[in-house]
Amino acid sequence: MTTVPGRRSSTFTRLLRHGFTDPSAAERLLDLPELSSVRADPVLFEALGATADPDLALHSLVRLVEAEEAGARQILLDTLVTAKPLRDRLLGALGASEALGDHLARHPRDWQALVTYEATDLHPGIPEFEQMLSDAVDPDSLRVAYRRSLLSIAARDVCGTTDVAQVAAELADLATATLRAALAIASAAAPSDAAQCRLAVIAMGKCGGHELNYVSDVDVIFVAEPVDGVEESGAMQAATRLAAHLMRICSDTTVEGTIWPVDANLRPEGRNGPLVRTLSSHLAYYQRWAKTWEFQALLKARPVAGDPGLGAEYAEAVSPMVWQAADRENFVGDVQKMRRRVVDNIPVDRVERELKLGPGGLRDVEFAVQLLQLVHGRSDGTLRSGSTLEALRALADGGYVGRTDAAQLDEAYRFLRTMEHRIQLYRLRRTHLVPEEEADLRRLGRSLGLRTDPVAELDRAWRRHAAVVRRLHEKLFYRPLLDAVAQLAPGESRLSAKAAVVRLEALGYADPAAALRHLEALSSGVSRKAAIQRTLLPVLLGWFADSADPDAGLLGFRQVSDALGKTPWYLRLLRDEGAAAENLARVLSAGRLAPDLLMRAPEAVAILGDPEGLRPRGRDHLEQEVLAAVGRAQGAEAAVAVARGVRRRELFRTTAADLIGSYGTEDNPAETDPGALADRVGSAVTDLNAATLSGALRAAVRERWGDTLPTRFAVIGMGRFGGHELGYGSDADVLFVHEPREGVGDEEAAKAANAVVTEMRRLLELPTADPPLLIDADLRPEGRTGPLVRTLKSYEAYYRRWSLVWESQALLRAEPMAGDEELGRAFIELVDPLRYPVEGLGDDAVREIRRLKARMESERMPRGADPTLHTKLGRGGLSDVEWTVQLMQMQHGWVEPGLRTPRTRTALAAACAAGLIPAEEAQTLDEAWVLASRVRNAVMLVRGRPGDTFPSNPRELTAVGRYLGYEPGHVGDMLDDYRRITRRARAVVEERFYGAAG
């Protein structure tokens, strides 16, 4: 073609208009003499422009024409321009698959497989595919025949003659025919082996489910029996040789490439088990050893090759086991855990492109459908299909899934499977990743019929369908439960009450009948409130089921909803603020403490929807709020009631933040640093208790003396309070100090100080809806027999004359918490020389501390308690770590400023930095201290009352495990880990505290 220099030819313009991205290269290809008879044919241009990749289609066509013998080229070209079915099929396949273009360039005559256009050609089955492969006598000829058959499937696929479900079924049928042909080749190569055994090939996975991909492992299980007169061992060896040869025939790469890998790893014991077993061996394994996922896999088992009678026996024998799997303990949890594990194992850089395994991907649909099949297929045989789409349709027909949901899921699944097919078809490689290159995305989009802006349209469609899958994956299992009780959709099949109870039981509800009553109370009726609840509950039920106590979660949600249902903001908050509903579900189903706090003032649920709501309030902020509220209140009791209300709200904020940080949410993964979680709880509870004490002090003073007490007064935090390490169940250990104001006598001042302490304790322990704040002053000089309040001079005199080494040790945690700041500082200056003695501790003092510790271990451990699991006094527990750190503080604090802190972890880090303890040992002690602290917090969160040991109740123990990051079924791992970590810590304590080190 010649054109005026500088001007584009008309052919160039036509090519551009028909979707070519490199019209110049296409023009050069059209100028080749081999295409001279068709280069100007408008039919060819239209057909090329209709393909997914016109450039690729033309390039592959030229390669095919060049590969044809001279005499056959014109027949191909004439047929191409005169026969529309062939033209559409051939060019469509060439424009979508570079690999099929390569095949035709090697085997040019295979294009003729696309010429026929008969009824059987439109939808071939196993007999037709067996006929297509019948001439294959060795692995290479089988590969060529397989690709030829694959070409016919792909051609009909890209032309829209068959839909994605039919394509997947045809690919499975072609795989069946291929396995049969491969077994025939293997048997012909070893006729003596074939004569000794009956061998059946059971298809699993997508092949068994009649929904195979273009390129996928073909999962199989082999079962064999000896023929009459042959010993079993010899027959099994022969069957194993046949099975292994069959696998090599399909899997090996030859000059003709490979077909697909045959994967037998779903067999009993996986790779470690024998490749072939007898039927009785299979059944013995499934009855005794099989895990839940193995029964889920057997749902798709289908005999496809070999001895048909033996295959049928196998299917008949394992089927009852499949449909009893849902009765297994932790069945639903096991299935959900396996799905989470799949997602967690996806590399981070691939999650967003993972079409199959990622959130909103194909596996979400398949897992949800299979889970419903296994639960309800026990009593409903119509659900027992290996095909995802057929099973989904049956679930909708039976009322187990809403019809609208099923239709949306069907559409999304078909779109995602079609994307997967087109991605794999291009190079016939096994992949589920959406490509990144624009040219690949453009081809993919055009192959799906998106022509205006293929890349952008593809991205929008993919994201939309993935979002539908993700939403319905959460909803699918739970929505029909509401339909069963709400009964609002006339004419639609719905879950029966009996089936709903079965499903709730499978989800882990201990009292499914009560759960169903809660659902009915929440969702029945035609009010707007009930409509919103029906929108929320499916997702909430999923979150409840993912907890240790679904019953408590649902009951708590009903109670909160009953209390707040008439307020306009409550349901709107849960519906519109995505995090609020999930946060509420986590809080309500994780234990008793947080729900109890919430029920006393349900309006605190608003905290869960505020992005800043879970952030702890600092002490200054809290003290300002409490003192302002106390100043407005009428009377001391009303004032402290307000202060305790603030404390309850802040305790709820802290527990909620702790639970959500420990569990994680969809948008925010669980906190990976347990030490940070423990520190946040300790600081937050300490701050809110200090603010509450400030409020109680102000209220007690104002009630009797107005603005000024006759004596200056300060509250000194001790123990875990002073160390900013309070747990949810900790008392507030304190000392009280006062100093008479100028002109006030000692007796009057002492009387006023004691009256204030008595009133503060009374006000903080009054029976109300809010939890009491218990004040413990037993660490004061002379203990319970000594005066509650002393002056600075009195403390100085006592400590100078009578103080014991344990009292100096206790003062390591002393820190002012409320009252007169100057007096608090003066107290700290007074005790610093005691707790950080110049030149450290003498040998006698060290021996006394060790003696006291040993005595405490032997005398204070509760009778019957397991010392390896007691968080406070047990081996490697809190006491072990804290006494070890405190000994270093008293020995070296006088020269190491970093050790002068009431906080255990801070002091331990300072000791490590100063070279007093190796980093590895410091890490061991820190890990044990954090774990023991979090176990104590977990026990309080779960049981609603404090405890120093793991709960004995299985459900409570599981809840503690979930808080600590252990999935259901792994409480044994949790206890083993605790013992291992604390055992290592105890070894450090033996050396650093009791040994010669120091």
Side-chain angles (χ1 to χ4, degrees), residues 275-411:
L275 183 62
V276 183
R277 290 175 181 257
T278 62
L279 178 57
S280 61
S281 177
H282 276 283
L283 297 181
Y285 172 84
Y286 290 131
Q287 288 164 352
R288 187 169 184 183
W289 304 110
K291 298 181 174 61
T292 297
W293 70 263
E294 292 177 279
F295 293 110
Q296 186 179 357
L298 284 171
L299 191 153
K300 294 183 178 293
R302 179 172 63 95
V304 291
D307 189 293
L310 180 57
E313 288 180 54
Y314 176 92
E316 185 177 352
V318 301
S319 179
M321 300 183 189
V322 172
W323 303 112
Q324 293 164 8
D327 295 329
R328 294 164 64 93
E329 187 176 358
N330 293 325
F331 163 72
V332 173
D334 286 346
V335 175
Q336 292 172 337
K337 181 169 61 180
M338 184 165 64
R339 173 69 189 116
R340 285 193 295 269
R341 190 184 304 128
V342 167
V343 174
D344 291 343
N345 288 336
I346 303 172
V348 175
D349 60 335
R350 293 188 171 193
V351 170
E352 293 300 318
R353 297 193 295 125
E354 178 59 67
L355 192 65
K356 176 181 178 181
L357 303 178
L362 292 162
R363 190 57 61 87
D364 272 353
V365 183
E366 293 158 359
F367 262 68
V369 169
Q370 289 166 24
L371 193 57
L372 289 171
Q373 283 182 275
L374 291 169
V375 170
H376 297 293
R378 292 176 289 181
S379 57
D380 189 343
T382 65
L383 305 182
R384 299 177 182 181
S385 169
S387 162
T388 300
L389 291 176
E390 287 181 10
L392 181 58
R393 188 160 50 249
L395 287 165
D397 290 342
Y400 304 102
V401 176
R403 292 192 187 280
T404 301
D405 290 347
Q408 291 179 340
L409 208 59
D410 182 284
E411 180 187 2

Side-chain angles (χ1 to χ4, degrees), residues 226-261:
V227 299
D228 292 341
V230 177
E231 289 188 4
E232 183 177 299
S233 61
M236 288 302 102
Q237 292 172 5
T240 299
R241 289 191 291 270
L242 286 175
H245 193 187
L246 177 154
M247 293 175 69
R248 292 196 302 274
I249 289 170
C250 296
S251 305
D252 285 353
T253 300
T254 72
V255 293
E256 291 295 342
T258 185
I259 300 176
W260 18 246

